[in-house]
Amino acid sequence: MQLKKFLISTLKDIITRLESDECKLSDQIIFDIMEFAQKCNDEQKPLTKSEVAEMLHCTTKTIERMINDGRFPNGKKRVGHKTLYWTLYDVKQYISSTKSREQRIMI
């Protein structure tokens, strides 16, 4: 959590300095910051059950069984939507928490 606060503070400082023309950044640094921001955004992109199943090389039915068995996290619901979604971050966390493909997809 401390790192997150530090990152937020640093980014706010950079924005303030950029807006006041106190900070000059090279095109490469700007590109790197934009690439980082895109990766952060991609991590939070909502994924459907079908997309998650494709990422894990299984069927949506397997995802449902894994959720029911407590082996895969429940999806989240967006306000006004009935379908569940997961984020890329959620799926990566799941993958890193399992040691092998067999553990992930034991049917």
Side-chain angles (χ1 to χ4, degrees):
M1 201 56 147
Q2 290 288 62
L3 285 175
K4 185 177 177 181
K5 287 180 181 180
F6 175 75
L7 177 61
I8 290 169
S9 171
T10 302
L11 290 172
K12 284 179 179 178
D13 183 50
I14 290 170
I15 290 168
T16 301
R17 291 173 57 210
L18 279 170
E19 288 175 337
S20 66
D21 265 347
E22 292 176 25
C23 181
K24 304 293 183 204
L25 298 176
S26 70
D27 288 346
Q28 182 60 49
I29 291 175
I30 292 171
F31 177 79
D32 290 345
I33 292 170
M34 289 171 55
E35 191 174 50
F36 169 75
Q38 183 61 47
K39 284 180 183 177
C40 288
N41 194 39
D42 289 348
E43 292 276 316
Q44 298 307 313
K45 176 188 171 224
L47 301 170
T48 66
K49 191 185 303 176
S50 296
E51 291 170 320
V52 171
E54 186 176 327
M55 288 177 73
L56 297 177
H57 306 288
C58 67
T59 66
T60 56
K61 193 69 176 164
T62 300
I63 297 292
E64 291 169 10
R65 280 194 296 271
M66 290 174 14
I67 292 169
N68 291 336
D69 294 347
R71 292 181 286 136
F72 193 75
N74 281 321
K76 302 170 189 108
K77 282 190 178 180
R78 288 183 274 187
V79 176
H81 291 79
K82 292 182 181 181
T83 57
L84 297 175
Y85 78 92
W86 294 261
T87 64
L88 182 58
Y89 178 81
D90 297 331
V91 177
K92 284 182 176 180
Q93 287 291 104
Y94 167 74
I95 291 170
S96 69
S97 72
T98 57
K99 298 194 185 335
S100 68
R101 185 174 193 284
E102 290 75 30
Q103 277 186 295
R104 289 197 298 270
I105 316 246
M106 290 187 319
I107 299 173

mmCIF file of all heavy atoms in Angstrom, residues 38-73:
data_model
loop_
_atom_site.group_PDB
_atom_site.id
_atom_site.type_symbol
_atom_site.label_atom_id
_atom_site.label_comp_id
_atom_site.label_asym_id
_atom_site.label_seq_id
_atom_site.Cartn_x
_atom_site.Cartn_y
_atom_site.Cartn_z
ATOM 1 N N GLN A 38 -1.339 2.393 -20.043
ATOM 2 C CA GLN A 38 -2.156 1.469 -20.833
ATOM 3 C C GLN A 38 -2.172 0.085 -20.191
ATOM 4 O O GLN A 38 -3.212 -0.556 -20.111
ATOM 5 C CB GLN A 38 -1.635 1.378 -22.268
ATOM 6 C CG GLN A 38 -2.479 0.491 -23.164
ATOM 7 C CD GLN A 38 -3.894 0.987 -23.309
ATOM 8 O OE1 GLN A 38 -4.111 2.162 -23.558
ATOM 9 N NE2 GLN A 38 -4.857 0.107 -23.152
ATOM 10 N N LYS A 39 -1.022 -0.375 -19.706
ATOM 11 C CA LYS A 39 -0.960 -1.681 -19.048
ATOM 12 C C LYS A 39 -1.822 -1.695 -17.795
ATOM 13 O O LYS A 39 -2.513 -2.675 -17.519
ATOM 14 C CB LYS A 39 0.483 -2.038 -18.695
ATOM 15 C CG LYS A 39 1.300 -2.479 -19.885
ATOM 16 C CD LYS A 39 2.719 -2.826 -19.481
ATOM 17 C CE LYS A 39 3.538 -3.191 -20.712
ATOM 18 N NZ LYS A 39 4.935 -3.469 -20.364
ATOM 19 N N CYS A 40 -1.794 -0.603 -17.031
ATOM 20 C CA CYS A 40 -2.629 -0.507 -15.833
ATOM 21 C C CYS A 40 -4.103 -0.561 -16.207
ATOM 22 O O CYS A 40 -4.895 -1.232 -15.548
ATOM 23 C CB CYS A 40 -2.340 0.785 -15.074
ATOM 24 S SG CYS A 40 -0.757 0.809 -14.242
ATOM 25 N N ASN A 41 -4.455 0.132 -17.269
ATOM 26 C CA ASN A 41 -5.834 0.150 -17.735
ATOM 27 C C ASN A 41 -6.262 -1.232 -18.218
ATOM 28 O O ASN A 41 -7.365 -1.686 -17.933
ATOM 29 C CB ASN A 41 -5.992 1.188 -18.850
ATOM 30 C CG ASN A 41 -7.432 1.498 -19.140
ATOM 31 O OD1 ASN A 41 -8.246 1.585 -18.228
ATOM 32 N ND2 ASN A 41 -7.755 1.653 -20.402
ATOM 33 N N ASP A 42 -5.382 -1.916 -18.948
ATOM 34 C CA ASP A 42 -5.688 -3.246 -19.465
ATOM 35 C C ASP A 42 -5.941 -4.238 -18.338
ATOM 36 O O ASP A 42 -6.774 -5.131 -18.468
ATOM 37 C CB ASP A 42 -4.547 -3.772 -20.343
ATOM 38 C CG ASP A 42 -4.455 -3.048 -21.677
ATOM 39 O OD1 ASP A 42 -5.393 -2.301 -22.024
ATOM 40 O OD2 ASP A 42 -3.431 -3.225 -22.365
ATOM 41 N N GLU A 43 -5.226 -4.089 -17.228
ATOM 42 C CA GLU A 43 -5.378 -4.999 -16.092
ATOM 43 C C GLU A 43 -6.795 -4.929 -15.519
ATOM 44 O O GLU A 43 -7.256 -5.868 -14.901
ATOM 45 C CB GLU A 43 -4.374 -4.658 -14.985
ATOM 46 C CG GLU A 43 -2.945 -4.934 -15.347
ATOM 47 C CD GLU A 43 -2.527 -6.366 -15.117
ATOM 48 O OE1 GLU A 43 -2.863 -6.924 -14.058
ATOM 49 O OE2 GLU A 43 -1.865 -6.916 -16.001
ATOM 50 N N GLN A 44 -7.470 -3.795 -15.695
ATOM 51 C CA GLN A 44 -8.800 -3.606 -15.124
ATOM 52 C C GLN A 44 -9.930 -3.797 -16.143
ATOM 53 O O GLN A 44 -11.091 -3.655 -15.809
ATOM 54 C CB GLN A 44 -8.901 -2.222 -14.485
ATOM 55 C CG GLN A 44 -7.935 -2.036 -13.340
ATOM 56 C CD GLN A 44 -8.050 -3.125 -12.292
ATOM 57 O OE1 GLN A 44 -9.139 -3.480 -11.858
ATOM 58 N NE2 GLN A 44 -6.919 -3.680 -11.884
ATOM 59 N N LYS A 45 -9.578 -4.126 -17.374
ATOM 60 C CA LYS A 45 -10.588 -4.338 -18.417
ATOM 61 C C LYS A 45 -11.482 -5.515 -18.026
ATOM 62 O O LYS A 45 -10.990 -6.580 -17.666
ATOM 63 C CB LYS A 45 -9.897 -4.634 -19.744
ATOM 64 C CG LYS A 45 -10.848 -4.951 -20.855
ATOM 65 C CD LYS A 45 -10.108 -5.423 -22.096
ATOM 66 C CE LYS A 45 -11.126 -5.941 -23.088
ATOM 67 N NZ LYS A 45 -10.723 -7.181 -23.701
ATOM 68 N N PRO A 46 -12.806 -5.343 -18.090
ATOM 69 C CA PRO A 46 -13.693 -6.447 -17.736
ATOM 70 C C PRO A 46 -13.624 -7.568 -18.781
ATOM 71 O O PRO A 46 -13.636 -7.310 -19.983
ATOM 72 C CB PRO A 46 -15.084 -5.818 -17.702
ATOM 73 C CG PRO A 46 -14.960 -4.467 -18.269
ATOM 74 C CD PRO A 46 -13.521 -4.118 -18.394
ATOM 75 N N LEU A 47 -13.542 -8.806 -18.299
ATOM 76 C CA LEU A 47 -13.505 -9.978 -19.166
ATOM 77 C C LEU A 47 -14.750 -10.822 -18.920
ATOM 78 O O LEU A 47 -15.162 -11.013 -17.773
ATOM 79 C CB LEU A 47 -12.266 -10.825 -18.867
ATOM 80 C CG LEU A 47 -10.912 -10.153 -19.030
ATOM 81 C CD1 LEU A 47 -9.807 -11.036 -18.471
ATOM 82 C CD2 LEU A 47 -10.652 -9.842 -20.497
ATOM 83 N N THR A 48 -15.322 -11.351 -19.982
ATOM 84 C CA THR A 48 -16.480 -12.227 -19.854
ATOM 85 C C THR A 48 -16.031 -13.627 -19.457
ATOM 86 O O THR A 48 -14.847 -13.962 -19.528
ATOM 87 C CB THR A 48 -17.243 -12.325 -21.189
ATOM 88 O OG1 THR A 48 -16.393 -12.977 -22.150
ATOM 89 C CG2 THR A 48 -17.686 -10.955 -21.691
ATOM 90 N N LYS A 49 -16.998 -14.451 -19.077
ATOM 91 C CA LYS A 49 -16.690 -15.837 -18.733
ATOM 92 C C LYS A 49 -16.065 -16.558 -19.919
ATOM 93 O O LYS A 49 -15.128 -17.344 -19.760
ATOM 94 C CB LYS A 49 -17.963 -16.561 -18.293
ATOM 95 C CG LYS A 49 -17.707 -17.914 -17.673
ATOM 96 C CD LYS A 49 -19.002 -18.653 -17.358
ATOM 97 C CE LYS A 49 -19.896 -17.865 -16.457
ATOM 98 N NZ LYS A 49 -21.197 -18.516 -16.210
ATOM 99 N N SER A 50 -16.536 -16.272 -21.116
ATOM 100 C CA SER A 50 -15.971 -16.890 -22.323
ATOM 101 C C SER A 50 -14.517 -16.489 -22.532
ATOM 102 O O SER A 50 -13.677 -17.320 -22.890
ATOM 103 C CB SER A 50 -16.780 -16.496 -23.564
ATOM 104 O OG SER A 50 -18.080 -16.993 -23.477
ATOM 105 N N GLU A 51 -14.217 -15.211 -22.317
ATOM 106 C CA GLU A 51 -12.839 -14.738 -22.473
ATOM 107 C C GLU A 51 -11.917 -15.372 -21.431
ATOM 108 O O GLU A 51 -10.790 -15.760 -21.744
ATOM 109 C CB GLU A 51 -12.787 -13.209 -22.375
ATOM 110 C CG GLU A 51 -13.432 -12.514 -23.556
ATOM 111 C CD GLU A 51 -13.596 -11.016 -23.350
ATOM 112 O OE1 GLU A 51 -13.951 -10.590 -22.228
ATOM 113 O OE2 GLU A 51 -13.378 -10.289 -24.328
ATOM 114 N N VAL A 52 -12.424 -15.501 -20.201
ATOM 115 C CA VAL A 52 -11.634 -16.131 -19.144
ATOM 116 C C VAL A 52 -11.389 -17.595 -19.486
ATOM 117 O O VAL A 52 -10.268 -18.093 -19.364
ATOM 118 C CB VAL A 52 -12.332 -15.991 -17.770
ATOM 119 C CG1 VAL A 52 -11.640 -16.835 -16.712
ATOM 120 C CG2 VAL A 52 -12.383 -14.537 -17.345
ATOM 121 N N ALA A 53 -12.434 -18.282 -19.940
ATOM 122 C CA ALA A 53 -12.294 -19.692 -20.308
ATOM 123 C C ALA A 53 -11.263 -19.856 -21.426
ATOM 124 O O ALA A 53 -10.431 -20.772 -21.378
ATOM 125 C CB ALA A 53 -13.647 -20.254 -20.744
ATOM 126 N N GLU A 54 -11.291 -18.968 -22.392
ATOM 127 C CA GLU A 54 -10.321 -19.028 -23.484
ATOM 128 C C GLU A 54 -8.896 -18.829 -22.950
ATOM 129 O O GLU A 54 -7.972 -19.541 -23.350
ATOM 130 C CB GLU A 54 -10.652 -17.967 -24.529
ATOM 131 C CG GLU A 54 -9.790 -18.046 -25.763
ATOM 132 C CD GLU A 54 -10.202 -17.044 -26.834
ATOM 133 O OE1 GLU A 54 -11.403 -16.745 -26.946
ATOM 134 O OE2 GLU A 54 -9.301 -16.556 -27.533
ATOM 135 N N MET A 55 -8.728 -17.895 -22.038
ATOM 136 C CA MET A 55 -7.409 -17.644 -21.457
ATOM 137 C C MET A 55 -6.882 -18.864 -20.698
ATOM 138 O O MET A 55 -5.684 -19.133 -20.693
ATOM 139 C CB MET A 55 -7.457 -16.452 -20.500
ATOM 140 C CG MET A 55 -7.607 -15.119 -21.166
ATOM 141 S SD MET A 55 -7.744 -13.792 -19.958
ATOM 142 C CE MET A 55 -6.057 -13.728 -19.368
ATOM 143 N N LEU A 56 -7.798 -19.590 -20.055
ATOM 144 C CA LEU A 56 -7.403 -20.747 -19.248
ATOM 145 C C LEU A 56 -7.484 -22.059 -20.031
ATOM 146 O O LEU A 56 -7.265 -23.130 -19.462
ATOM 147 C CB LEU A 56 -8.269 -20.827 -17.984
ATOM 148 C CG LEU A 56 -8.142 -19.646 -17.028
ATOM 149 C CD1 LEU A 56 -9.093 -19.811 -15.847
ATOM 150 C CD2 LEU A 56 -6.714 -19.501 -16.542
ATOM 151 N N HIS A 57 -7.837 -21.958 -21.301
ATOM 152 C CA HIS A 57 -7.923 -23.141 -22.172
ATOM 153 C C HIS A 57 -8.906 -24.175 -21.620
ATOM 154 O O HIS A 57 -8.575 -25.353 -21.465
ATOM 155 C CB HIS A 57 -6.544 -23.768 -22.388
ATOM 156 C CG HIS A 57 -5.527 -22.801 -22.894
ATOM 157 N ND1 HIS A 57 -5.557 -22.326 -24.187
ATOM 158 C CD2 HIS A 57 -4.493 -22.188 -22.283
ATOM 159 C CE1 HIS A 57 -4.562 -21.476 -24.348
ATOM 160 N NE2 HIS A 57 -3.906 -21.357 -23.203
ATOM 161 N N CYS A 58 -10.101 -23.699 -21.287
ATOM 162 C CA CYS A 58 -11.145 -24.600 -20.806
ATOM 163 C C CYS A 58 -12.492 -24.076 -21.293
ATOM 164 O O CYS A 58 -12.549 -23.101 -22.034
ATOM 165 C CB CYS A 58 -11.107 -24.698 -19.279
ATOM 166 S SG CYS A 58 -11.540 -23.170 -18.418
ATOM 167 N N THR A 59 -13.565 -24.710 -20.874
ATOM 168 C CA THR A 59 -14.906 -24.278 -21.280
ATOM 169 C C THR A 59 -15.515 -23.374 -20.207
ATOM 170 O O THR A 59 -15.034 -23.350 -19.059
ATOM 171 C CB THR A 59 -15.831 -25.496 -21.488
ATOM 172 O OG1 THR A 59 -16.023 -26.135 -20.218
ATOM 173 C CG2 THR A 59 -15.245 -26.474 -22.502
ATOM 174 N N THR A 60 -16.584 -22.691 -20.581
ATOM 175 C CA THR A 60 -17.284 -21.858 -19.594
ATOM 176 C C THR A 60 -17.906 -22.744 -18.513
ATOM 177 O O THR A 60 -18.007 -22.330 -17.356
ATOM 178 C CB THR A 60 -18.373 -20.998 -20.260
ATOM 179 O OG1 THR A 60 -19.279 -21.844 -20.973
ATOM 180 C CG2 THR A 60 -17.763 -19.982 -21.206
ATOM 181 N N LYS A 61 -18.310 -23.952 -18.889
ATOM 182 C CA LYS A 61 -18.872 -24.897 -17.908
ATOM 183 C C LYS A 61 -17.817 -25.251 -16.855
ATOM 184 O O LYS A 61 -18.126 -25.347 -15.667
ATOM 185 C CB LYS A 61 -19.370 -26.155 -18.626
ATOM 186 C CG LYS A 61 -20.213 -27.026 -17.763
ATOM 187 C CD LYS A 61 -21.527 -26.352 -17.477
ATOM 188 C CE LYS A 61 -22.421 -27.289 -16.674
ATOM 189 N NZ LYS A 61 -23.529 -26.584 -16.068
ATOM 190 N N THR A 62 -16.572 -25.410 -17.283
ATOM 191 C CA THR A 62 -15.488 -25.695 -16.342
ATOM 192 C C THR A 62 -15.290 -24.521 -15.398
ATOM 193 O O THR A 62 -15.093 -24.698 -14.190
ATOM 194 C CB THR A 62 -14.181 -26.022 -17.094
ATOM 195 O OG1 THR A 62 -14.399 -27.172 -17.907
ATOM 196 C CG2 THR A 62 -13.034 -26.276 -16.138
ATOM 197 N N ILE A 63 -15.370 -23.305 -15.938
ATOM 198 C CA ILE A 63 -15.256 -22.108 -15.086
ATOM 199 C C ILE A 63 -16.359 -22.135 -14.028
ATOM 200 O O ILE A 63 -16.109 -21.899 -12.845
ATOM 201 C CB ILE A 63 -15.328 -20.808 -15.926
ATOM 202 C CG1 ILE A 63 -14.163 -20.699 -16.901
ATOM 203 C CG2 ILE A 63 -15.415 -19.575 -15.022
ATOM 204 C CD1 ILE A 63 -12.811 -20.486 -16.259
ATOM 205 N N GLU A 64 -17.584 -22.443 -14.445
ATOM 206 C CA GLU A 64 -18.706 -22.508 -13.506
ATOM 207 C C GLU A 64 -18.462 -23.558 -12.422
ATOM 208 O O GLU A 64 -18.712 -23.310 -11.234
ATOM 209 C CB GLU A 64 -20.006 -22.813 -14.250
ATOM 210 C CG GLU A 64 -20.471 -21.671 -15.120
ATOM 211 C CD GLU A 64 -21.605 -22.063 -16.063
ATOM 212 O OE1 GLU A 64 -22.180 -23.171 -15.923
ATOM 213 O OE2 GLU A 64 -21.905 -21.246 -16.960
ATOM 214 N N ARG A 65 -17.965 -24.746 -12.816
ATOM 215 C CA ARG A 65 -17.675 -25.797 -11.831
ATOM 216 C C ARG A 65 -16.588 -25.336 -10.863
ATOM 217 O O ARG A 65 -16.678 -25.574 -9.660
ATOM 218 C CB ARG A 65 -17.237 -27.091 -12.535
ATOM 219 C CG ARG A 65 -18.383 -27.912 -13.076
ATOM 220 C CD ARG A 65 -17.933 -29.323 -13.445
ATOM 221 N NE ARG A 65 -16.958 -29.343 -14.523
ATOM 222 C CZ ARG A 65 -17.246 -29.406 -15.808
ATOM 223 N NH1 ARG A 65 -18.512 -29.442 -16.189
ATOM 224 N NH2 ARG A 65 -16.296 -29.441 -16.711
ATOM 225 N N MET A 66 -15.564 -24.684 -11.394
ATOM 226 C CA MET A 66 -14.472 -24.216 -10.539
ATOM 227 C C MET A 66 -14.957 -23.159 -9.550
ATOM 228 O O MET A 66 -14.524 -23.131 -8.393
ATOM 229 C CB MET A 66 -13.318 -23.692 -11.401
ATOM 230 C CG MET A 66 -12.608 -24.804 -12.144
ATOM 231 S SD MET A 66 -11.306 -24.363 -13.342
ATOM 232 C CE MET A 66 -10.888 -22.701 -13.053
ATOM 233 N N ILE A 67 -15.864 -22.293 -9.986
ATOM 234 C CA ILE A 67 -16.438 -21.285 -9.080
ATOM 235 C C ILE A 67 -17.252 -21.986 -7.986
ATOM 236 O O ILE A 67 -17.095 -21.697 -6.804
ATOM 237 C CB ILE A 67 -17.321 -20.278 -9.853
ATOM 238 C CG1 ILE A 67 -16.459 -19.412 -10.764
ATOM 239 C CG2 ILE A 67 -18.129 -19.420 -8.891
ATOM 240 C CD1 ILE A 67 -17.258 -18.584 -11.760
ATOM 241 N N ASN A 68 -18.098 -22.932 -8.405
ATOM 242 C CA ASN A 68 -18.946 -23.652 -7.447
ATOM 243 C C ASN A 68 -18.123 -24.455 -6.448
ATOM 244 O O ASN A 68 -18.527 -24.610 -5.290
ATOM 245 C CB ASN A 68 -19.931 -24.563 -8.178
ATOM 246 C CG ASN A 68 -20.981 -23.780 -8.939
ATOM 247 O OD1 ASN A 68 -21.269 -22.633 -8.614
ATOM 248 N ND2 ASN A 68 -21.542 -24.377 -9.971
ATOM 249 N N ASP A 69 -16.975 -24.978 -6.886
ATOM 250 C CA ASP A 69 -16.096 -25.755 -6.010
ATOM 251 C C ASP A 69 -15.184 -24.866 -5.176
ATOM 252 O O ASP A 69 -14.396 -25.366 -4.365
ATOM 253 C CB ASP A 69 -15.202 -26.695 -6.830
ATOM 254 C CG ASP A 69 -15.989 -27.773 -7.551
ATOM 255 O OD1 ASP A 69 -17.184 -27.957 -7.233
ATOM 256 O OD2 ASP A 69 -15.416 -28.425 -8.449
ATOM 257 N N GLY A 70 -15.204 -23.567 -5.406
ATOM 258 C CA GLY A 70 -14.348 -22.649 -4.674
ATOM 259 C C GLY A 70 -12.913 -22.607 -5.184
ATOM 260 O O GLY A 70 -12.031 -22.104 -4.511
ATOM 261 N N ARG A 71 -12.685 -23.133 -6.393
ATOM 262 C CA ARG A 71 -11.333 -23.146 -6.946
ATOM 263 C C ARG A 71 -11.043 -21.935 -7.824
ATOM 264 O O ARG A 71 -9.908 -21.716 -8.230
ATOM 265 C CB ARG A 71 -11.103 -24.417 -7.787
ATOM 266 C CG ARG A 71 -11.072 -25.672 -6.938
ATOM 267 C CD ARG A 71 -10.810 -26.905 -7.777
ATOM 268 N NE ARG A 71 -12.000 -27.248 -8.545
ATOM 269 C CZ ARG A 71 -11.995 -27.609 -9.830
ATOM 270 N NH1 ARG A 71 -10.878 -27.694 -10.492
ATOM 271 N NH2 ARG A 71 -13.127 -27.898 -10.438
ATOM 272 N N PHE A 72 -12.056 -21.147 -8.133
ATOM 273 C CA PHE A 72 -11.884 -19.956 -8.959
ATOM 274 C C PHE A 72 -12.706 -18.842 -8.342
ATOM 275 O O PHE A 72 -13.810 -19.083 -7.830
ATOM 276 C CB PHE A 72 -12.347 -20.232 -10.401
ATOM 277 C CG PHE A 72 -11.933 -19.177 -11.376
ATOM 278 C CD1 PHE A 72 -10.623 -19.096 -11.818
ATOM 279 C CD2 PHE A 72 -12.847 -18.249 -11.854
ATOM 280 C CE1 PHE A 72 -10.221 -18.113 -12.717
ATOM 281 C CE2 PHE A 72 -12.462 -17.272 -12.756
ATOM 282 C CZ PHE A 72 -11.151 -17.209 -13.188
ATOM 283 N N PRO A 73 -12.201 -17.609 -8.358
ATOM 284 C CA PRO A 73 -12.935 -16.508 -7.697
ATOM 285 C C PRO A 73 -14.263 -16.199 -8.386
ATOM 286 O O PRO A 73 -14.383 -16.320 -9.608
ATOM 287 C CB PRO A 73 -11.975 -15.324 -7.814
ATOM 288 C CG PRO A 73 -11.053 -15.651 -8.931
ATOM 289 C CD PRO A 73 -10.959 -17.152 -8.983
#
